Structures are given as structure tokens and as C-alpha cells.
Amino acid sequence: MKKPIVFTSEHEMPPMAVSLADMGHNRTGSWRYLRPVYSEKLAPCKNACPVGNDIPRILSLVSQGRYEDAWRLFRETSPLPGVCGRVCYHPCESFCNRKDFDEALSIAAIERFVADACFDLEDRIPERPKRSEKIAIVGSGPAGLACAYFLAKDGYAVTVFEGASQPGGMLRLGIPPYRLPRAVLDREIELIARWGVEFRTNTRVGQDISLEKLWEQHNAVFIATGAHQSRALNIPGEEFALTGLEFLKAVNAGKTIALGKRVLIIGGGNTAMDCARTALRLGAHPIVVYRRTREEMPAIAEEIEEAEHEGTQFEFLAAPVAIRKLNGKLEVQCIRMKLGEPDASGRRRPVPIPSSDFIMYTDTVLKAVGEEPDLAFLSEHLETSEGIVIERAQGMLERAGIFIGGDAQTGPSTVAQAMRSGKEVAQKIKSFLRGERPPKATTLEEAVRVNFNYFTHRPRVATPQLAVSERILSFAETKRAISAEQARVEASRCFSCGVCNSCDNCWVFCPDAAIARINGHYEINYDFCKGCGVCAEECPRSVISLVEEEL
Amino acid sequence: MRNFTLPERELMGSGHLGCQGCGGALAMRYALKALGEKTIVVIPACCWTIIAGPFPYTSLKVPVLHTAFETAAVAASGVRAALDIQGDTETTVLAWAGDGGTFDIGLQSLSGAAERNENIIYICYDNEAYMNTGIQRSGATPFLAWTTTTPEKTPKSEPKKDIMAIMVAHRIPYAATATVAYPDDFIRKVQKAKSIYGTKFLHVLAPCPPGWKAPSEWAIKLSRLAVQTRVFPLYEVENGERYTLNEPKDDTALPVSEYLKLQGRFSHLTEKDIQAIQDLIDKRWQRLLRQVRESA
């Protein structure tokens, strides 16, 4: 009934007080001053993901057993789900709203499961217009690979130049296979190549080909050469120490390194942890010497735990001051440190305690006190300050079509951060080639509030691990995959923050029956919605916002 | 995630005159979802007299008989008798009254119908005062609550009347409490009532945002908190004897202050007042647990 009934005389009225129509003429929507609107929010996990994986939607697909769809959704935002599911330090999990309820979702384990389950799948490569512009990418680490993938998807002709014999950069040279099996890396690089990316290995820019030449032959150049230059200890006898990263590269390349029994690793970052765990697998006893305490270690907490779990010893608040060789053994003179005032990084500065020197005996010393980008081939345009690359003239390189990203720009960071950088550069290059301004990055504008009342406590899935006794015998991957059933159950723990999963609560709780369900979606009838706000309040995942009506 | 499964049918139309966030309107929506089209609703003077719409309109898609304040149960009994004479045993007769028409004004006719074990479902949607006429205290108004007739300086000094105990004492086949934040429980209880012959009584807590002085979006939150703080536990009593506790299941209850602090009608309470209310709730909770235990 759209119109009110109007009686013009008593004869038109029924003989007794009986209703003749429904209340459809009464548009209670006019009472409303707040309008509920479905507006999906950026989930904190997705916001925290450096490559912007659409985690709530992916987990929703996994919870329905739709692993292939989940894998394809990963590949929309990242060419390396198998790699990231293993080596990413998963900032998504640190921001997971579920951690305030019981435990964060095990997102990395699910990503890895999906990648493994879909190992044999291929991307569907659509017919797309070939573009004439040619792009050179220097370096095939995560930054270079990500950039290549996203440019190639848009039809650009991409050539990746790699100094080593195989592509992968630090993923292949630096990360030990017990964290990242090479078959996974090979497969994901192969899939990137399918998009038409050409890999030119054994070609070191600055040696085998000059940057100038690349620049002349291409419309844009991306420099993603990483940070491979190890920092020096600057102490007497430094020549007796091996470089941690070179050690890792040699072992990862299959070379035999005689370490002896005791190995001292100087430094507290991820390279140091990789060195310690690799040394363990070569039968040595690693001791990490770090000048601050465990809390200040720059390595990812999980790596520190694993290294310790496997048998690495730690010597905190100690720094080497000299290395001497005695009868084939090394004698490392260390000094005891204490923590002083915070430095520029916010960590407390280590201060030597006078006359506290002590000696540590060892067979090998590995130095792993940080890496820096080596951009000698660019030296006339750039300078580095504390590992950060600064252009001599601001923006000059980009105006010429030369872009720098990944660790080469920032100093050592994470795989995911390098991928983010590569992805951003791909966008910058597209804008550059089209003569446009690059689009602005989106940020989290509204916090997602979860209504915990609609959830029950359920424990997080535990990632199966090889036993330590088995682990240290080989370079086999230490973490095992979770099962399909575990992945499905774990994914169903997701709150689906900010993303509607058709739970029906808005429809259930509307006191005005003003919400319709249409194929798993909802429509609010604003003719009748009074704007009480119950739907927004009871939405478990903040999908509904209340906005003020315009008068 | 706990998902609700509600019958699809929608027998309460939009455009009704319930206030924003009306718990009473939502309760009717659930009740009719549970009962279906073969239902006649009998409504005495209460909010729903207005909510349903003025002559010549109705917001319900089932027949409604509007009747006088004190007559919900007896009018429903009459409708039932008429249907029985016609041989219609399929149609459910639902008496739908507020707390004023149940706890106070309609109590004698309700008692009479219960004593005769009339075959009706009687649902009291309790918003804890005469809300429709401007928030006057009723026998259902909670201890120390503000209403326009129990102003802040002299808030209601008597505890809420225990209507469930009164109905249970009639040894009717089924009596239960329900509230709008628990739609599955609500619908199950209405359907269970429908399946039983005789007088069935449901006491439904229906949050009233204007009368409770709370934002309308908190209607469900308040209903849920009433259960979680044990102010309004959900339970069933069969044949005046068998008690079953439904919610809250946990041993740990939220303090009653969590419920009270959201409502303007309790904003004048002192710490001591809140403790007095907590003591009352704890005592009733212990009694309920005892009743559940003893009937097991």
C-alpha cells in the first residue's frame, strides 16, 4: 500500500473498525537522521601486508575449501605466495584483531598451504595488447621480480638482468633452503617468466653491460640490486673473519666450507641467525656475539627462537675488539658492554665497560653486522648515507626514467618490503611512461571494530616442525605444511574484519524489517529504515557505517 | 562465528510506528516468524496498540484483535473458543501484551486463563514501564530505576515483580523467558510453546531506548548484557516444576554495572545502590540455580 486511504464520507468507511491496508504508506525513513550504509573497511591485516594481499577474502575462500580461487587472489597482489608463506615475517598476524580475543590467525601457514596445494597451477594469461615500451630491471630479487611481474601483466616488455647464474637474488643467495626450498622459488620465477619476462643471468650491470647502455636501450630502468656489501668490524685482525653473507652464498651454492667446531658469529640480525643455523647444519657449534641484549636484536623474533631452539648459544653484551690467530685457532678478544642512552634507532646504545676484556677461542669467525647497497656503478648520481641512498639531485634519476627500489634504496629490509617497493616502482614506471602523476597510496581511514560477542574461542593452528635432532642433519625445510582440513578450520577463525561475509546479523536484528537479503547481499530500504543503528552496532565486523543524513 | 537461522517469512511489515531500536517491534517480528501465517494476535492497550498502526491500517500480515487493557488473556481465550467451535485447531492464538497489561492491569484475567489452562500463547514483551503513555512505573520496573513517576530523588523502591514465579505457580505446561539478542533461543521457545496444548507464557525482555534513556543502536547490546549480567537469565519451566537454564552458560557473569551504566534511567545510582542491585541479582541467580538443580 503506497498511498494513505482517504474517506470522503462515513459511507465509505467499513461498518466496524477494521483495517483495510498495511502501513506501507507510512514512510518512516523520514524519521532518520543517521543512514546506515554498507561500506567495507580495510582490514588491519591487509593494511599491514606490504604487498596488500586481500587476506580476509582469501581466508574466506580457504574456509570454503576454494584453494584455487584463493591462490589466484594471492597472485593478483603478489607473484610469490609460496615464498612469502615461508619467509615473510607476517606483519599481518601482528595486526590481526583476533589476537585481542584469543590468538592471531596463522595467516602465513595458510598462505604457504595454498601455494603448495596449487603448486602445479598456471596463471591464466589473457590476450592483452603488447606495449612497445621496453623496461630493464637490474637485479632479480624480490623487488625486481615483483616489479617485472606487474609490468609484464600490463603487457610491457621486461628484461631482468642478474649477475648470478640463476635469478632470485637474496632469495636464492642469502636465504638458506631450510627456510625456502629452491623448488618453490624456481616454480614462482618460472610463472613470472610465463608472462613474457626475459631473464638475462650472468650479466652484471657495471661489468658486463653499462648502466648508460641499458638506459639508452630501454624506456625505463629499475635498479633493484639489493644490499650485498657487508659492513666491516674495523678491528685489528679483521682479515681472519669470514663474511657471513659470503659464507651463506657459498653454502647455498653448494660449496663446501671448512668451519671447524666452534663458530663465532658477530652480529644480531637476520644474516647472523641464518649463519648460525647454517653452521649448525654443517656440524659446528655456533655462538652469536651481540653487543646489546636479546630485546634489541634486529633479527625477526621467530628466527632468534628457532636458532636458540636448534642449539645456538648467545653471548649478549659483548663486542669483539681484536682477532688473533694462534696455532691454527682464532682468539677473539671481546669487551663487555652495558646499555646506555637510546640512539637514533631508539635502541639503547651499547657502551663498553672499561677493563672488562675477555677472550673467546674459536675455529671460525663470521661477521654479520649488517649489509649495505653497493651502488658503485651509479656513484656519479648517488651517495649513500648510513646505508640509505640519496640522490645528488632530488628526483633527477626518476625524471630520466631510472628508478631505485628494494634494499638497494633502503638498506637491508624484508622480502615483503622489497616486493612492496618493486610493486610501487612498477606503478611509477607505468605513470612515467604515460606521462601521468603516480597515484596516491591508500591508507587505513577507519578502524575496524569487532563485536566479540559473535565469536567463540578457538585455538590457533600449530605449524608442524621437524624435530630439532632431524633438522640439524640436513637443509630440509624445518616447517611442515598444515593439512587442508587444518587450513580450512584455521581460515574459518578469521573475523573477516571490515568485509561482509553474509552473516545475516543486519537482517536478523532490524526492528523495522527494512533490510532485504538478495543472493547473499543486503539492501536497506531507506523508505522505512528509521536509522536506529542496530545493524551497524551488531555487525560483527564493522561493515556498516552510520553517516549523517543531509538536511 | 555464531550464525542465526531464522525463518524467512516476514509477517511484520515496515512502516510500523515503533520507535528507533524498538525491542518490542523486533520481538513481534521474531514471534510471527516462529508462528507463521495461521496466527491471530490479541493486543490489549500497550505500545503495540500504537505500533500496529491507526485505523484503518495494520502493520501485521496476520489478523489482530485490539482489546481493552485488562483483557488480553480472556479475549484470547474467547478467540480460541470461537476457533475451536469452527473446528480450527490449526490456528494459534497469541495474546501479546506489555508489562503494564500483564504484571498489573491484566493480571487477574491472565491468572484466570492460566488456571483454566486455556490453549493460548501469552507473550509479555516487557519494557519495564508504561512506555507508550510516557514512561510511568509499572510492577515490572526494576529496583531503583528512574521513571517519570519515580523521579531520581525517589527512584522505584520496590524490586521488579517476579512474574515468572507467579505463572509457574499456576503450573501451566510451559513458561519461559526470552529476549531479542538471542533470536534462535526466542524462536525455538515460541515454536515449542506452539507445540504444547494449554496456557504457554513467555516473558520477553524488550529494550526500550527512549524509556531506558539509551541510544537506539544499543537495543540488542542491552538485551545481551541483561543476560550476561544475570539481570535477565534465559530459562524454561515445564509444568511448574522442571527448570532448564539456557543462558548465561558460563560460571563467570559480568557485573551488573556493565548493564546499568549504559542506561540513563540508572545514571543517578550510587556505588551502594549498584551493590544493592547486584545483591538482589545474585540472590535470584542462586535461587534459579537451586530450582534447576532440584528439578533435575
Side-chain angles (χ1 to χ4, degrees):
Chain A
M1 191 70 196
K2 292 265 160 82
K3 282 185 178 161
I5 294 170
V6 180
F7 298 120
T8 53
S9 76
E10 65 186 85
H11 303 294
E12 290 175 28
M13 294 174 80
M16 58 187 281
V18 65
S19 33
L20 303 172
D22 64 25
M23 291 287 283
H25 70 283
N26 188 38
R27 303 300 169 92
T28 49
S30 64
W31 304 9
R32 187 179 60 239
Y33 58 92
L34 289 175
R35 168 182 287 249
V37 288
Y38 291 95
S39 84
E40 298 205 330
K41 315 289 185 296
L42 184 56
C45 52
K46 183 179 173 185
N47 188 52
C49 176
V51 295
N53 285 335
D54 197 347
I55 297 164
R57 258 182 241 290
I58 288 168
L59 295 187
S60 167
L61 291 169
V62 173
S63 73
Q64 298 164 44
R66 293 165 61 186
Y67 309 129
E68 179 177 339
D69 292 339
W71 183 77
R72 295 202 188 279
L73 200 47
F74 266 125
R75 293 197 65 82
E76 299 259 316
T77 46
S78 157
L80 303 171
V83 170
C84 288
R86 290 172 162 84
V87 303
C88 183
Y89 69 109
H90 42 73
C92 50
E93 294 183 18
S94 320
F95 286 89
C96 175
N97 275 329
R98 185 122 196 165
K99 74 176 189 305
D100 299 327
F101 183 64
D102 45 26
E103 296 169 276
L105 266 280
S106 189
I107 300 167
I110 294 174
E111 181 173 20
R112 178 196 162 162
F113 163 78
V114 168
D116 286 2
C118 301
F119 190 83
D120 295 324
L121 285 180
E122 302 273 339
D123 288 328
R124 297 194 190 106
I125 299 178
E127 283 294 319
R128 58 204 197 287
K130 277 267 177 288
R131 295 176 194 268
S132 57
E133 293 101 327
K134 287 158 65 183
I135 296 140
I137 295 177
V138 186
S140 64
L145 290 175
C147 185
Y149 176 73
F150 288 103
L151 288 171
K153 277 184 107 170
D154 261 17
Y156 291 97
V158 181
T159 310
V160 178
F161 296 85
E162 170 57 55
S165 61
Q166 282 177 290
M170 207 57 109
L171 298 174
R172 187 180 301 279
L173 303 171
I175 296 181
Y178 60 83
R179 284 172 59 202
L180 176 59
R182 295 304 182 250
V184 174
L185 178 61
D186 291 344
R187 174 64 180 168
E188 292 192 331
I189 291 175
E190 187 188 337
L191 291 183
I192 294 170
R194 294 280 161 88
W195 285 91
V197 174
E198 190 192 335
F199 286 94
R200 224 174 274 175
T201 51
N202 294 315
T203 311
R204 196 167 290 279
V205 173
Q207 280 176 20
D208 304 309
I209 185 166
S210 73
L211 179 65
E212 282 67 28
K213 195 151 194 187
L214 276 190
W215 185 66
E216 279 164 22
Q217 290 170 352
H218 295 84
N219 299 79
V221 180
F222 176 33
I223 293 162
T225 45
H228 292 255
Q229 183 81 31
S230 294
R231 286 203 188 130
L233 296 170
N234 296 320
I235 56 168
E238 176 152 6
E239 64 274 18
F240 300 122
L242 300 176
T243 307
L245 185 58
E246 294 308 320
F247 160 71
L248 289 176
K249 285 181 180 178
V251 176
N252 290 339
K255 293 188 185 133
T256 319
I257 308 284
L259 281 178
K261 194 65 206 153
R262 259 164 89 90
V263 178
L264 242 57
I265 296 142
I266 316 295
N270 290 318
T271 306
M273 294 307 103
D274 286 341
C275 284
R277 296 181 69 186
T278 298
L280 266 166
R281 283 161 175 77
L282 297 175
H285 175 62
I287 304 163
V288 169
V289 179
Y290 181 53
R291 56 193 182 142
R292 301 186 229 219
T293 71
R294 192 185 182 115
E295 281 66 49
E296 289 81 25
M297 283 177 75
I300 293 162
E302 196 182 311
E303 287 298 312
I304 303 170
E305 280 163 31
E306 293 302 328
E308 187 174 38
H309 193 51
E310 290 172 359
T312 302
Q313 196 183 322
F314 289 86
E315 187 65 47
F316 293 115
L317 292 167
V321 289
I323 306 173
R324 287 178 289 272
K325 196 160 194 174
L326 270 178
N327 308 328
K329 296 261 179 194
L330 295 176
E331 187 182 278
V332 182
Q333 185 182 339
C334 294
I335 190 162
R336 196 50 76 193
M337 312 293 272
K338 63 177 180 190
L339 294 179
E341 294 302 306
D343 65 8
S345 73
R347 294 177 302 168
R348 292 176 67 190
R349 191 191 303 273
V351 185
I353 301 172
S355 313
S356 64
D357 295 39
F358 60 101
I359 302 286
M360 294 180 81
Y361 297 95
T362 185
D363 297 298
T364 306
V365 176
L366 295 174
K367 53 176 176 177
V369 289
E371 293 86 25
E372 289 172 357
D374 178 8
L375 297 172
F377 66 98
L378 263 176
S379 57
E380 55 185 284
H381 308 292
L382 298 175
E383 58 186 332
T384 51
S385 168
E386 293 187 4
I388 307 295
V389 179
I390 298 166
E391 276 182 79
R392 288 190 200 280
Q394 176 71 37
M396 179 197 68
L397 285 174
E398 291 198 3
R399 277 195 295 277
I402 297 177
F403 299 81
I404 302 178
D407 284 2
Q409 184 186 34
T410 59
S413 184
T414 62
V415 170
Q417 288 297 351
M419 287 174 67
R420 171 208 288 252
S421 173
K423 216 173 150 173
E424 283 171 358
V425 168
Q427 193 55 52
K428 277 190 192 171
I429 289 176
K430 287 179 207 171
S431 303
F432 167 77
L433 295 175
R434 292 168 197 166
E436 297 163 355
R437 284 177 153 273
K440 274 195 181 156
T442 51
T443 47
L444 189 71
E445 62 297 319
E446 204 177 334
V448 175
R449 195 182 48 81
V450 176
N451 193 331
F452 288 160
N453 286 292
Y454 294 105
F455 301 96
T456 42
H457 291 261
R458 279 165 55 194
R460 171 186 161 109
V461 70
T463 306
Q465 302 248 27
L466 274 187
V468 168
S469 55
E470 244 178 294
R471 277 194 222 176
I472 57 172
L473 297 177
S474 78
F475 283 83
E477 192 169 17
T478 56
K479 285 189 189 167
R480 305 267 112 174
I482 54 174
S483 71
E485 180 58 16
Q486 283 176 311
R488 204 186 52 70
V489 170
E490 180 66 9
S492 71
R493 291 177 65 231
C494 176
F495 283 159
S496 195
C497 300
V499 180
C500 178
N501 70 352
S502 309
C503 78
D504 274 359
N505 268 18
C506 52
W507 175 79
V508 165
F509 289 118
C510 179
D512 291 287
I515 297 179
R517 288 195 295 194
I518 300 154
N519 301 326
H521 295 278
Y522 306 95
E523 255 177 42
I524 298 172
N525 187 341
Y526 293 110
D527 282 346
F528 297 106
C529 165
K530 293 168 185 162
C532 69
V534 163
C535 53
E537 182 71 25
E538 296 308 317
C539 175
R541 42 189 63 84
S542 276
V543 173
I544 304 176
S545 299
L546 293 174
V547 296
E548 255 180 77
E549 286 287 352
E550 284 173 31
L551 293 172
Chain B
M1 160 93 196
R2 205 176 71 205
N3 273 321
F4 302 111
T5 43
L6 261 59
E8 189 73 44
R9 59 189 168 218
E10 205 68 82
L11 297 172
M12 182 194 80
S14 302
H16 66 69
L17 296 175
C19 304
Q20 278 113 329
C22 177
L26 189 54
M28 177 68 92
R29 187 172 163 237
Y30 292 162
L32 292 183
K33 275 183 179 293
L35 293 175
E37 282 182 353
K38 289 264 183 188
T39 305
I40 295 178
V41 186
V42 177
I43 300 179
C46 61
C47 285
W48 255 99
T49 311
I50 305 303
I51 297 172
F55 168 77
Y57 307 104
T58 175
S59 56
L60 299 185
K61 293 167 192 167
V62 296
V64 178
L65 173 66
H66 287 284
T67 182
F69 219 146
E70 67 280 25
T71 66
V74 69
S77 306
V79 172
R80 177 75 267 163
L83 286 168
D84 287 347
I85 282 172
Q86 290 176 1
D88 180 350
T89 52
E90 203 185 338
T91 301
T92 305
V93 180
L94 170 66
W96 184 266
D99 48 292
T102 304
F103 287 61
D104 305 340
I105 298 173
L107 187 61
Q108 60 80 14
S109 79
L110 172 59
S111 176
E115 188 268 330
R116 296 189 303 275
N117 198 28
E118 296 283 357
N119 187 23
I120 58 169
I121 300 176
Y122 189 108
I123 297 183
C124 169
Y125 67 103
D126 176 9
N127 50 31
E128 304 195 312
Y130 291 80
M131 295 307 185
N132 171 31
T133 50
I135 323 175
Q136 293 84 14
R137 61 113 51 211
S138 78
T141 301
F143 183 46
L144 299 179
W146 164 93
T147 66
T148 54
T149 48
T150 52
E152 286 183 12
K153 280 190 181 157
T154 52
K156 196 190 180 221
S157 50
E158 307 80 18
K160 184 183 177 97
K161 191 188 282 187
D162 191 346
I163 194 73
M164 280 294 284
I166 294 171
M167 296 314 295
V168 167
H170 286 76
R171 300 188 164 271
I172 53 174
Y174 188 64
T177 63
T179 187
V180 286
Y182 297 80
D184 280 346
D185 176 82
F186 191 117
I187 285 179
R188 179 183 67 77
K189 285 170 177 169
V190 175
Q191 286 177 339
K192 184 167 177 180
K194 188 185 173 183
S195 73
I196 296 170
Y197 182 91
T199 305
K200 287 82 60 175
F201 178 80
L202 257 70
H203 180 198
V204 170
L205 184 71
C208 171
W212 293 9
K213 301 293 168 209
S216 57
E217 66 267 25
W218 286 355
I220 301 301
K221 187 179 184 172
L222 287 168
S223 162
R224 184 167 53 233
L225 277 169
V227 175
Q228 289 171 340
T229 57
R230 298 172 175 165
V231 167
F232 194 82
L234 301 183
Y235 62 101
E236 299 162 89
V237 190
E238 284 157 279
N239 302 314
E241 282 174 0
R242 220 175 89 88
Y243 282 73
T244 310
L245 178 65
N246 313 115
E247 295 277 352
K249 290 191 189 76
D250 311 20
D251 287 342
T252 51
L254 294 175
V256 70
S257 55
E258 294 294 306
Y259 173 68
L260 302 176
K261 73 183 182 191
L262 301 180
Q263 304 173 59
R265 63 175 173 157
F266 293 116
S267 61
H268 56 279
L269 296 186
T270 63
E271 287 293 314
K272 217 175 125 194
D273 293 338
I274 293 171
Q275 191 53 52
I277 294 173
Q278 184 70 65
D279 292 345
L280 199 67
I281 286 163
D282 292 346
K283 210 169 128 189
R284 291 203 166 172
W285 175 253
Q286 288 308 324
R287 190 184 67 184
L288 178 61
L289 289 185
R290 206 163 52 240
Q291 286 164 326
V292 171
R293 225 174 19 245
E294 282 169 6
S295 68

